[in-house]
Amino acid sequence: MKSQKEILVAYDGSSDADDALKWASEEAVRQGAPLRAVIIDDVSTSPWVHEWSGDHDDSMRAELIMKEEGVEAATTERHPGHVVPTLVHLAEKASILVAGSKGHGRLGEVFVGSVTQHLAAHAPCPVVVVRPAKKTDSGRIVVGIDGSPASGAALEFALARAEGTGEVVEAVYGWKMGRMPIDRKGEMPTSVGEKLDDKELLLAESVAGARAAHPDVVLIQTAIPVPPGQALVDASANASLVVVGSHGRGFFSGLLLGSVSHDVLHRAHCPVVIVR
């Protein structure tokens, strides 16, 4: 899969940024896309100002990493400004924006909770938050489904990527079951099975159009009575990537502010992609 749009990666010289840059470099090589590493010298008056700003060795380190990874069209830039709006502006020409899950000092402590969520809420392209993959050769992309347009966009992203990587896509629909009713014989009533059937039908209907549009991709469906955040975290242990929509329905709604975002961004066992 070739791409003319550049891949943009936020870099600050931290080990997490190194991981993000290596992931972005591999993606640039796979797509044949140009890669731009951006170092932001934060000029704000926030307490992060001296934490994000790196020295000029950062530029040399970024260039070395991209060269070692075999990126043919690579550039490194420094920009003064506020971190989030600067990256959002630069991302207008990007196919994806890649960032590490943490950074230097105090910024590192709040990166996932603040900067990354703001990028995911406002960036004009998908945002990839690179976390270490528990199983690097899983051959599986996990995508969260809830029937919303945003989860549909996430599924399309996952399938399009799988066409290029040859990976399997697992569509996961999770929901909070609540108390599990058990009758006197220790068996679940038929209503529980009927509810599961309803969820599986909703999942099948949600992926039907995308499945038809990508017939060469193996797409499997998993409906599970587990809260969606936990369902995706569990599934991520056997995945190369987890893809979620930025807004959804039910327990996926408010993804950028609620428990799902916290679970996935802080606990996933592989890189996370947030698609608007």
Side-chain angles (χ1 to χ4, degrees):
M1 182 172 63
K2 299 295 182 180
S3 173
Q4 295 302 315
K5 274 193 169 184
E6 68 180 12
I7 294 173
L8 183 70
V9 56
Y11 189 74
D12 69 356
S14 66
S15 60
D16 291 275
D18 285 349
D19 291 340
L21 185 53
K22 290 175 183 177
W23 189 95
S25 295
E26 292 175 0
E27 189 67 10
V29 171
R30 184 184 72 81
Q31 294 188 23
L35 176 61
R36 177 160 55 149
V38 176
I39 300 169
I40 309 297
D41 293 317
D42 195 333
V43 297
S44 71
T45 57
S46 77
W48 304 343
V49 59
H50 298 300
E51 302 297 340
W52 174 267
S53 302
D55 56 41
H56 290 280
D57 288 342
D58 291 345
S59 298
M60 297 177 62
R61 181 173 177 79
E63 292 170 359
L64 178 60
I65 289 174
M66 292 186 288
K67 182 178 180 179
E68 290 177 341
E69 295 294 328
V71 182
E72 294 184 359
T75 57
T76 304
E77 300 174 358
R78 301 188 74 94
H79 289 267
H82 302 282
V83 175
V84 172
T86 300
L87 289 173
V88 168
H89 173 69
L90 294 174
E92 291 177 358
K93 298 180 180 180
S95 60
I96 55 175
L97 169 57
V98 185
S101 59
K102 296 179 181 179
H104 281 307
R106 281 172 290 179
L107 180 60
E109 296 174 8
V110 299
F111 197 89
V112 171
S114 179
V115 175
T116 302
Q117 293 209 29
H118 277 85
L119 290 176
H122 301 292
C125 63
V127 174
V128 182
V129 180
V130 177
R131 299 179 57 83
K134 186 174 183 178
K135 193 172 182 181
T136 57
D137 59 347
S138 68
R140 181 183 300 258
I141 300 171
V142 169
V143 56
I145 298 294
D146 68 354
S148 69
S151 74
L155 179 60
E156 176 61 30
F157 180 97
L159 290 170
R161 178 180 174 82
E163 284 183 333
T165 64
E167 293 176 285
V168 171
V169 173
E170 180 181 8
V172 175
Y173 181 92
W175 75 94
K176 188 175 181 180
M177 186 69 179
R179 295 184 61 185
M180 187 72 71
I182 302 294
D183 63 19
R184 293 181 179 179
K185 296 180 180 179
E187 299 177 351
M188 293 184 295
T190 57
S191 59
V192 174
E194 292 172 352
K195 187 171 184 178
L196 179 58
D197 290 341
D198 290 342
K199 299 299 184 180
E200 291 177 340
L201 178 60
L202 185 152
L203 175 57
E205 292 174 343
S206 297
V207 306
R211 181 191 293 277
H214 300 272
D216 295 331
V217 178
V218 177
L219 174 60
I220 60 178
Q221 302 167 198
T222 301
I224 181 171
V226 174
Q230 186 61 51
L232 291 174
V233 169
D234 291 345
S236 72
N238 185 32
S240 66
L241 201 67
V242 172
V243 188
V244 292
S246 59
H247 298 283
R249 294 185 179 131
F251 285 93
F252 271 107
S253 63
L255 172 66
L256 300 177
L257 301 176
S259 61
V260 173
S261 64
H262 183 275
D263 284 346
V264 177
L265 289 177
H266 288 261
R267 298 173 55 214
H269 303 292
C270 65
V272 178
V273 183
I274 300 175
V275 181
R276 296 183 64 196

